Amino acid sequence: MQPSRQNEGPYSKGTMRALGATTAVLSVVLIGWGIFEAATGGRNGVRMIVIGAICAAIAAIGIPLGIRRGRL
């Protein structure tokens, strides 16, 4: 099914896929780094875990939504 011109949006599929992949990778890195920081007694470990979880939630909602709308 080809998306209509109305659903394409201002960015290309390649740009949208790169943004989705970057968000997913960033969430994994932040969660991993936050766990390491929290385990070693760092001050910002919990904050990084929370930011990583927010990025993961955005990716978990945005990527399937973008696929359904034909933008990814």
Side-chain angles (χ1 to χ4, degrees):
M1 177 177 161
Q2 292 295 329
S4 66
R5 187 77 175 130
Q6 182 181 28
N7 288 340
E8 286 183 8
Y11 302 107
S12 68
K13 280 189 176 187
T15 302
M16 295 301 288
R17 287 178 181 165
L19 182 62
T22 303
T23 304
V25 169
L26 178 67
S27 69
V28 171
V29 168
L30 284 174
I31 291 171
W33 191 3
I35 290 171
F36 176 75
E37 281 288 319
T40 58
R43 302 180 314 185
N44 296 323
V46 175
R47 186 178 302 156
M48 283 191 275
I49 293 171
V50 169
I51 293 171
I54 291 169
C55 289
I58 290 170
I61 293 169
I63 291 173
L65 187 62
I67 290 171
R68 218 174 300 132
R69 291 188 177 180
R71 293 183 181 167
L72 294 177

